[in-house]
Structure formats: C-alpha cells, structure tokens
Amino acid sequence: MKASIITIGDEILIGQIVDTNSAYIAKSLDKIGIATHEMVSISDEKDHILQTLYGLQNKVDVVIITGGLGPTKDDITKKTFCDYFDDVLVENDAVLVHVKDMIERIFNRPLTQLNKDQALVPSKCKVLFNAVGTAPGMLMEQDKTVFISLPGVPYEMKYLMENEVIPYLVNKFKRPFIVHQTIMTYGRGESLLAEQIESWETNLPTFIKLAYLPSPGRVRLRLTARGNDELKLKEAIQKEIEKLDDLIGDCIVGYDETESIEVVVGKKLKEFGQSIATAESCTGGKIAQQLTSVAGASAYFKGAIVAYETKMKEQLLQVNHKTITDFSVVSAEVASEMAVNCKELMQSDFAIATTGNAGPLQGDSKAKIGTVFIAIATPSKVFVEEFDFGQPREKVIDRAVSKALEMLYKEISKN
Amino acid sequence: MKASIITIGDEILIGQIVDTNSAYIAKSLDKIGIATHEMVSISDEKDHILQTLYGLQNKVDVVIITGGLGPTKDDITKKTFCDYFDDVLVENDAVLVHVKDMIERIFNRPLTQLNKDQALVPSKCKVLFNAVGTAPGMLMEQDKTVFISLPGVPYEMKYLMENEVIPYLVNKFKRPFIVHQTIMTYGRGESLLAEQIESWETNLPTFIKLAYLPSPGRVRLRLTARGNDELKLKEAIQKEIEKLDDLIGDCIVGYDETESIEVVVGKKLKEFGQSIATAESCTGGKIAQQLTSVAGASAYFKGAIVAYETKMKEQLLQVNHKTITDFSVVSAEVASEMAVNCKELMQSDFAIATTGNAGPLQGDSKAKIGTVFIAIATPSKVFVEEFDFGQPREKVIDRAVSKALEMLYKEISKN
C-alpha cells in the first residue's frame, strides 16, 4: 500500500509558507498502514498538475492532493482535477446549502457568485462534506488509484482526513501493519550513540528498520516494523527495546513516538499531582506557550512571568537589585532568584527560570551572545546550569526551551 | 532558471517531522531570481534517490538536496550522491581537522570512526565548508545541472545556503529578476475581496501574477512580476498597488512580504517610542513569545504575565475576586481588568489581555469552547472584543494571538 501526497500552491514554491499538511497526512496514513512513497509540492499551473497526476496513475494506490480549492482565480485545482477525469462540474445542492449557511452566519451577508461556485464539483466524484469550511473535498477512483482532493487550510484538511478520508481508506483496502516505536535519548551525540549500539543495530531482524533523528542536545531513535501480524511486530520491537535499554538506558528519557517533551512533562506532573510555573527572560514566554499547547495543561500549569525588561525582574519577580548589579542580569544568581521567587509567587511545586542573551544585539548584559542560564526550583532546592547555545537568535531560544524542559523532566522523574 | 529541491528522510515521509528546509531554500533562491519548479520528499533508499536525480538531470538548472548526511547507517545520501556521479569517496584534510576540532571542543573526547567518516567526500566534488556542523556540503556539476547536497539540520543548511550556495549561484548564472510584493489585508473574506478587485485583477499586465493567501481573519495578496528590467518591474507593481489602494485601502495593513504582524507592530512601537506588555490566559504566553521572536524586541516589550490558573489572575494581576465571581473568569470585565492592571504593573503604554476557553475541556468557566475575550489597554482607554474561534484548541489559540496583534496594530496606527 503506497500513497503520494501532492501540495499545490505557488506560496509554497516561493517559500512564503511552510507545508505542514503533508506531514499531517503522512502521519494519518502511516497509522493505518499506508506508507507515503513521495511528497511533491508543485505550482498552481494546469499542465504541471496534470503531468504530476499522470505520473502517479497506477503507480500508487492513493493520491492525496491539498490546496488550490479556494474561490479565487489562482485556485485551479478543482477545474484541473475535473479535466483529468474528463468530467464536468455540476452544482451540488447539499454543498450549496452549507456554503450559504456558513457565509450568512459568519459574514452576515448574502452569497457572492464566487461563494456559489464553491458548490460546483465534478459530476462523477464522491463529495467529502467539509463541515468546517466552504470548499468540499472530492474523491475519484480511476483504475487502481484513488485520487482525493482536499482544501489547503490546515484545520479543514484535518477535519476531512479524520472524518472522511481515513474511514474510507480503512474500509476500502486491506492494509499491512506498520508499528513505530521512538526512543527519546538526550545528552549524547549521534556518532557516539551509534557506536555504542552498533552490534545491536547490525543484528536487528530484517523487518525492523532503525532511524536516527538528531536535534540539538538530543537524538530520537525510531524503530519501524512492517508485516501482517501486528502482535508479532510489537513483541519483536519490545524485545529490541529491552536490549537497547541495557546498552544506553542511562540516556533514554521516554518511548512514545507522539509524545513531545512538554507532553511527557505534563503526564509526570499530573501523575504526581504537582504543578509548574515559569519565569522567563530570553525565552520570552515560549516555555509557557509549549506547556500550555497541551490540552489539559490547566491541571498542572499555574502561570508564567515573562520579565523581559531588566527592571521587570525586580518589580514582578522581586529579584534583588543588588544581585543584578553584582552579578549582571545574565547570571546564575539572577536565574536562581527568578526561579525561587516564581515558585513562591505562583505557589507551585516546580519553577523554571531563564535569563540569557539570544542576540543578535548585546542587550543589558556583558554576557556573550548565546549564553543562557537555566534554573530549576524544586520542592526542596534550586539548581542552575550555564549554556552556550551559539547563534542565531531562533536557535538560542529553541535550545533553551528544549533544555529547560529536559532539565525539569529529569528532576520530576526522580520523584 | 529553474531549481528542484529534494528532501531525503523517512522521518518526513512518516510525518514525524515537518520539512521546513525546502521553504527556506526556495525563499533564498527566489530572492536571486531562481524559481523553484518542484519540491520532493523521498525516503532514505538508494534507488529512490538515484531515480529522482536521473529524472532531474538537464531538466532543471539547480538541484538542492538536504538530509541524509549524518554519520549513522541510515544516512545514505553521500554514498548515493557519489555513485550517481560514478565517483569515489576520499578523505578531505580540511574537513577532518574541522570535525576533530568540533568533537573535541563540544564533547571533550577523541574522534570515533563514524566522526572520521564525515570527512569523506566524492573526489570530484567542490566541498562546501560547514563551519557550524560536522557534515560538509557538496557540489557537483554535470552537463547543464548543478547538484548540491546539504545537511538536513536547519541551521547548518541555512549557514551553507547563505555562505556557500547563494554566492556560488549568483556568480555562475545570469538570472532574471523576480519581484514580489505582498499586500496584507485583514477583516474581509477572500471571496468578497476577490469580487471587489475583480476588474483590477483581470486587467493586470501579463508579467504580473496575483495570488491570494488566506488565513483565519486575514488575506495576504501577493503580486509577482518577472522580467529582465528590475526597475521596470518595481514601477509596474507600484502602479498596481496604487490602484488597489483606491479599491480596498480600508482593509490594507501593510506591504512588506517578509513582515509578519509582530514585526509590523514592533516597528510602529519603536517609531513612536512606546511599549507593550501582555496579560495572557488562554493564549498561554504565545503573544509574548511572538513579540519576542523579533530581534530587538527589548526596545518595546516590557514583559508578560501568564495567569493561567484563575487564582493567579487575582494574585498576579490583581483582578477583583468579585469581578470573577460576578461575571466569570471568561468575560469582558475580567479581560478588561487584566489589561488595565497589566499596563499599570508593567508601566507600559499598551497592554493586551486574553481570557477564554481553548478547549477541549470546559475549564473554570461556563463559556462555550472557542470563546475568547481580548482586551487592549491604550494610554487613554481600554476596550474589549468577544470572539468565537470555534475548535480545535490549536486554532483557537492561533486565531486569538493573531487577532490580538491585529487589534493592537490598528490601535497603534491611530497615533
């Protein structure tokens, strides 16, 4: 079972927006045992779209196209999709009623002609009803390939994948099983890790594949097993993980592929009934934002104080003026006071504090650009680490956020 | 001048990570007049890589490949790249010295064999020196096509694009000019906008193309002109923008393609010497995070209080207990007090406050999931708007952040 994903839109090819739809679609397909063979992004040009579709006919089982279904002139996917199947566009009553209802409710005005045109669909297609937007999804089968066209707006695409596309594919195809297991490690480089597990890697069964996914400060290992017996695949993977644990157990922090560090931290805090707050300077609220991106975060996240301006560290977080003048605003001492005072103010069990210079300018401290102090206050103590996260600004902020959450995770895990 | 971008890595095809490299590369190429014809993501499989390379030979001028250059067994790009050109791998002295230096400095240990292997490169390639990582970039010319292989780690890829690839391409090719101009509009739907500018759109010169980029609450219009005379292109675009301003000037907020709302807001604040602070509940620090993602934000961003827990709204932001019990924590009254008190506490000129229910659970208020109140405190007043941002959680948070920044922008612009 193979799929291809096509994204249509000039905005992607000039780099104005990043395509996040393909990753979502690939992940959804992967879960039901359909492997994505290739992802392609092409322009809003009829010939380019047609040529890409011809190239995939009977080569893959499923083609999913996103984008180009809007009401404006530059959106040509629907017309081209229709041409490809030698079909004609007809008005779909159910879609028209829905579009009318949405436009009247949201914009409080009558339909324009362009709105009405959204109800046109190829006469032979199966309409995928888009309850959250005005552009319907469309599905056509031709020979051995199913072609599906979805709107490019991410939440509309997600709605249709979940409610229409996946149920349809599950019903239509007999699929193999794909089992993934990610092992999250941190604090050890990719090369060293690879050498430590080399003989284990060489002896993996042929139906299990290993991949390394390094990012600053951590490496995820991903095992993928393919076959027809799901239970057998899972058992085989479990066996390999046990062997791996003997080899590098000291740097493994978790196992769930879908779990980011903020989700893992949240689970641990929930499990122990503990809470967290943050006092942020150079990370500008990003640690709080990541913690609160998790549904249900209100069970353990108290709040954050982003004391960006130096003065605010004194006023909002009650850092001693003398500490700042003696040690500078980017120092272990300031980070430590920020964490302790934040924990106090928020009545939380843990607190994270960051102070540093993300660049590109020098700012209120003499600290080198890239220097960040991260402090963790726990129920019984506070500790600080100093880092040099280099440049540029974006990387300094991201590494500081990721490192802070890892330090917290390690600490909570000692419970 | 056409380019293709290839991303290699199973982690992309199973949707584990989103490919952000292609957008960056496309944008860099676009700036020097090279149009990206297609982006492709494929797996770490030799045949798939070779087949993709063969398909592009002499079809495009430049092929840029990222990913698969790590030291581990699943990284096969270098070997395959070498095979494609019928070349052999040889040790490069300069790269070896650099790898040794990096490993010793960062990990404080001697080289492993895998580290040493990073210094192997095809004998005929031009080495692109990677000062920020251990995997070098490689460049090969064959017939009419230049093939370039870069590491997949985003900041290493960016370093090489900026310092090696772009200077090389600028020097090698005579390129046409591409001029883009984005017009940021807000508060009007795509269809209505399209109808209002229909006759203008129809009469655009043939060398200018229009695209609509809608996102919740706003539509960006992008004009792209191609040709050999840069000045002429710019003048033609300017002329079209003036016409457009007569038609829909009331909903245009800015013109710079690279400027996101947080950059535009920052510029305005700097221009007027004013400052901003935020008091966030449902947005969890994301407004602060976006404001501080801009280099130089310390000139106008004071700080933020993320009062996630209801109690924190009283303790940290001094919202009246009675306001919360009388009107509920998700209310115009609470948002308004949050904004006013935040402005006071932070001694800022403006303050943004958010309170709402992002879901998926009900939380501390009876407010419907998706309900968000946004308050803006200005030097002279405070005002609040209520929104229904629907579902899911991610969309509610993103729309609230974007709407809050737009409300602020509109207000600052009245200066």
Side-chain angles (χ1 to χ4, degrees):
Chain A
M1 285 289 310
K2 283 200 298 189
S4 278
I5 301 170
I6 305 175
T7 315
I8 296 174
D10 289 349
E11 65 276 21
I12 291 171
L13 292 175
I14 67 163
Q16 191 161 27
I17 67 164
V18 168
D19 165 33
T20 55
N21 284 350
S22 297
Y24 178 89
I25 293 170
K27 201 170 199 168
S28 306
L29 293 175
D30 184 83
K31 276 188 195 145
I32 59 165
I34 299 178
T36 297
H37 176 66
E38 198 165 274
M39 296 169 175
V40 190
S41 297
I42 56 175
S43 64
D44 297 297
E45 277 168 22
K46 189 176 164 178
D47 290 345
H48 202 166
I49 299 173
L50 287 176
Q51 190 190 323
T52 307
L53 293 176
Y54 282 121
L56 294 170
Q57 178 77 51
N58 297 330
K59 297 257 173 60
V60 295
D61 305 282
V62 184
V63 176
I64 298 186
I65 306 158
T66 66
L69 293 187
T72 54
K73 288 189 183 173
D74 60 322
D75 289 312
I76 60 158
T77 302
K78 186 158 70 182
K79 183 80 188 54
T80 309
F81 194 72
C82 188
D83 287 353
Y84 181 73
F85 299 106
D86 202 14
D87 198 0
V88 289
L89 291 173
V90 294
E91 194 169 273
N92 181 291
D93 292 342
V95 174
L96 186 61
V97 167
H98 168 68
V99 170
K100 189 165 178 288
D101 178 60
M102 275 198 93
I103 296 293
E104 286 175 353
R105 193 160 44 86
I106 300 177
F107 296 105
N108 197 23
R109 62 167 173 79
L111 288 192
T112 66
Q113 186 56 45
L114 288 181
N115 295 141
K116 279 184 196 151
D117 291 347
Q118 300 238 276
L120 295 174
V121 293
S123 72
K124 289 180 272 182
C125 87
K126 172 177 160 63
V127 171
L128 308 177
F129 189 73
N130 179 1
V132 297
T134 52
M138 297 167 288
L139 187 150
M140 285 275 214
E141 294 186 27
Q142 183 148 298
D143 295 343
K144 292 180 193 147
T145 308
V146 178
F147 292 87
I148 297 165
S149 167
L150 302 175
V153 178
Y155 67 85
E156 297 184 23
M157 175 280 298
K158 286 180 190 174
Y159 173 86
L160 285 169
M161 280 300 294
E162 196 179 319
N163 295 285
E164 299 283 341
V165 178
I166 295 297
Y168 176 88
L169 296 174
V170 164
N171 187 43
K172 180 172 173 71
F173 295 105
K174 194 177 168 326
R175 295 147 291 112
F177 288 100
I178 301 182
V179 178
H180 295 292
Q181 178 72 57
T182 297
I183 300 108
M184 293 161 59
T185 77
Y186 80 94
R188 198 161 301 168
E190 189 182 4
S191 306
L192 189 59
L193 209 57
E195 302 218 341
Q196 291 178 333
I197 63 175
E198 192 180 4
S199 84
W200 168 84
E201 183 177 352
T202 313
N203 291 312
L204 279 174
T206 52
F207 62 93
I208 298 184
K209 217 179 149 182
L210 173 71
Y212 293 79
L213 307 164
S215 44
R218 47 183 166 165
V219 177
R220 285 174 297 165
L221 301 172
R222 192 192 56 241
L223 292 173
T224 304
R226 274 165 221 269
N228 291 315
D229 184 339
E230 189 179 13
L231 190 67
K232 219 168 136 186
L233 298 179
K234 283 189 173 165
E235 280 171 1
I237 281 199
Q238 195 46 46
K239 220 168 110 188
E240 295 306 327
I241 283 187
E242 280 161 23
K243 290 186 207 160
L244 202 57
D245 197 46
D246 291 340
L247 295 170
I248 52 159
D250 58 318
C251 70
I252 292 176
V253 295
Y255 291 99
D256 197 322
E257 121 175 73
T258 59
E259 290 188 343
S260 53
I261 186 94
E262 56 272 18
V263 171
V264 178
V265 161
K267 276 197 178 165
K268 282 271 174 199
L269 287 169
K270 244 186 189 162
E271 183 185 337
F272 298 121
Q274 291 177 316
S275 61
I276 175 79
T278 70
E280 307 185 43
S281 181
C282 61
T283 49
K286 195 161 187 176
I287 302 175
Q289 184 250 310
Q290 292 219 350
L291 286 167
T292 57
S293 69
V294 180
S298 55
Y300 50 83
F301 183 71
K302 292 264 185 175
I305 292 175
V306 182
Y308 211 63
E309 199 183 35
T310 299
K311 203 169 63 179
M312 289 300 137
K313 295 186 181 69
E314 296 178 39
Q315 289 188 11
L316 299 178
L317 282 166
Q318 295 154 22
V319 173
N320 266 311
H321 181 69
K322 198 169 151 28
T323 314
I324 296 175
T325 49
D326 285 1
F327 301 100
S328 115
V329 69
V330 176
S331 63
E333 290 76 9
V334 167
S336 174
E337 274 192 42
M338 284 171 73
V340 171
N341 297 356
C342 175
K343 187 173 91 101
E344 196 91 344
L345 279 166
M346 304 268 195
Q347 297 150 35
S348 59
D349 298 298
F350 292 91
I352 297 175
T354 60
T355 179
N357 183 358
L361 300 173
Q362 193 54 55
D364 282 354
S365 144
K366 280 187 183 141
K368 202 178 122 216
I369 291 170
T371 304
V372 178
F373 290 87
I374 301 176
I376 307 281
T378 76
S380 59
K381 65 168 194 260
V382 62
F383 64 96
V384 193
E385 282 190 56
E386 179 179 356
F387 300 93
D388 174 2
F389 292 135
Q391 292 197 38
R393 181 180 180 83
E394 174 198 351
K395 177 178 142 198
V396 175
I397 295 174
D398 284 351
R399 291 187 68 172
V401 170
S402 148
K403 181 52 84 174
L405 291 172
E406 278 167 18
M407 284 168 66
L408 175 71
Y409 176 79
K410 219 170 157 181
E411 204 50 39
I412 307 172
S413 303
K414 290 182 185 161
N415 261 313
Chain B
M1 283 289 312
K2 282 200 298 187
S4 278
I5 301 170
I6 305 175
T7 315
I8 296 175
D10 289 351
E11 64 276 20
I12 289 170
L13 290 175
I14 67 164
Q16 194 162 23
I17 67 163
V18 169
D19 166 32
T20 55
N21 284 350
S22 297
Y24 179 88
I25 294 170
K27 202 171 197 167
S28 305
L29 293 176
D30 183 83
K31 276 187 195 146
I32 59 164
I34 299 178
T36 297
H37 176 66
E38 198 164 275
M39 295 170 175
V40 190
S41 296
I42 56 176
S43 64
D44 297 297
E45 277 169 21
K46 190 177 163 176
D47 290 345
H48 202 166
I49 299 173
L50 286 176
Q51 191 189 320
T52 307
L53 294 177
Y54 282 122
L56 294 169
Q57 178 78 48
N58 298 332
K59 297 258 173 58
V60 295
D61 306 281
V62 183
V63 176
I64 297 185
I65 306 158
T66 66
L69 293 187
T72 54
K73 287 189 185 173
D74 59 322
D75 289 313
I76 59 158
T77 302
K78 187 157 68 183
K79 183 83 188 56
T80 309
F81 194 72
C82 189
D83 288 353
Y84 181 72
F85 299 105
D86 201 15
D87 198 358
V88 289
L89 292 172
V90 295
E91 196 169 271
N92 181 291
D93 293 341
V95 175
L96 186 61
V97 167
H98 168 67
V99 170
K100 188 164 178 287
D101 177 61
M102 274 199 94
I103 297 293
E104 287 175 353
R105 192 161 46 86
I106 299 177
F107 295 106
N108 198 21
R109 62 165 172 81
L111 287 193
T112 66
Q113 186 56 48
L114 289 181
N115 295 141
K116 280 184 195 150
D117 291 348
Q118 300 238 275
L120 295 174
V121 293
S123 73
K124 289 180 274 181
C125 87
K126 173 179 159 60
V127 172
L128 308 177
F129 188 72
N130 179 1
V132 297
T134 53
M138 295 167 289
L139 186 149
M140 285 276 213
E141 294 185 27
Q142 183 148 299
D143 296 343
K144 292 181 193 148
T145 308
V146 178
F147 292 87
I148 297 165
S149 167
L150 302 176
V153 179
Y155 68 85
E156 297 184 22
M157 174 282 297
K158 285 180 191 175
Y159 173 86
L160 284 169
M161 280 299 294
E162 197 179 318
N163 295 285
E164 299 283 341
V165 178
I166 295 297
Y168 176 88
L169 296 174
V170 164
N171 188 42
K172 182 173 170 68
F173 294 105
K174 193 178 168 328
R175 296 146 289 111
F177 289 99
I178 301 182
V179 177
H180 295 293
Q181 178 72 57
T182 298
I183 300 107
M184 293 161 61
T185 76
Y186 79 96
R188 197 162 303 167
E190 190 182 3
S191 306
L192 189 58
L193 210 55
E195 303 218 340
Q196 291 179 333
I197 61 176
E198 192 179 5
S199 84
W200 169 84
E201 185 178 352
T202 313
N203 291 313
L204 279 173
T206 51
F207 62 93
I208 298 184
K209 219 179 148 182
L210 172 72
Y212 292 79
L213 306 164
S215 46
R218 46 183 165 163
V219 177
R220 284 175 297 164
L221 301 172
R222 192 190 57 238
L223 292 172
T224 304
R226 274 165 221 267
N228 291 316
D229 184 341
E230 191 180 11
L231 190 68
K232 217 167 136 186
L233 298 178
K234 283 190 173 162
E235 281 172 1
I237 282 198
Q238 196 45 46
K239 217 168 112 189
E240 294 308 326
I241 284 187
E242 280 162 23
K243 290 186 207 160
L244 202 58
D245 198 47
D246 290 341
L247 295 170
I248 52 161
D250 57 319
C251 71
I252 293 177
V253 295
Y255 291 99
D256 197 323
E257 113 173 82
T258 61
E259 291 189 341
S260 53
I261 187 96
E262 56 271 18
V263 171
V264 179
V265 162
K267 277 197 179 167
K268 282 270 175 201
L269 288 168
K270 244 185 190 164
E271 184 185 336
F272 299 121
Q274 292 179 314
S275 62
I276 175 80
T278 70
E280 307 186 41
S281 181
C282 61
T283 48
K286 195 160 188 177
I287 302 175
Q289 184 250 309
Q290 292 220 349
L291 286 167
T292 58
S293 70
V294 180
S298 56
Y300 49 83
F301 184 71
K302 291 264 184 175
I305 292 175
V306 182
Y308 211 62
E309 201 183 34
T310 298
K311 204 168 63 180
M312 289 300 139
K313 293 184 183 68
E314 296 178 37
Q315 289 187 12
L316 298 178
L317 282 167
Q318 296 153 23
V319 173
N320 267 312
H321 182 69
K322 195 167 150 32
T323 313
I324 295 175
T325 49
D326 285 1
F327 300 100
S328 118
V329 68
V330 177
S331 63
E333 289 76 8
V334 167
S336 174
E337 274 193 39
M338 286 171 71
V340 170
N341 297 356
C342 174
K343 187 173 89 104
E344 196 91 345
L345 279 165
M346 304 267 194
Q347 297 149 35
S348 59
D349 298 298
F350 292 92
I352 297 175
T354 60
T355 179
N357 183 358
L361 301 171
Q362 193 54 55
D364 282 354
S365 144
K366 280 187 181 140
K368 203 177 121 215
I369 291 171
T371 304
V372 177
F373 289 88
I374 302 176
I376 308 281
T378 77
S380 59
K381 64 169 194 258
V382 61
F383 63 96
V384 194
E385 282 190 54
E386 179 179 357
F387 300 95
D388 173 3
F389 291 136
Q391 290 196 41
R393 180 178 181 83
E394 173 199 351
K395 177 179 141 196
V396 175
I397 295 173
D398 284 349
R399 290 188 67 172
V401 170
S402 148
K403 182 52 85 175
L405 290 172
E406 279 167 14
M407 284 168 66
L408 175 70
Y409 176 78
K410 221 172 156 178
E411 204 50 37
I412 307 172
S413 302
K414 290 183 185 161
N415 262 311

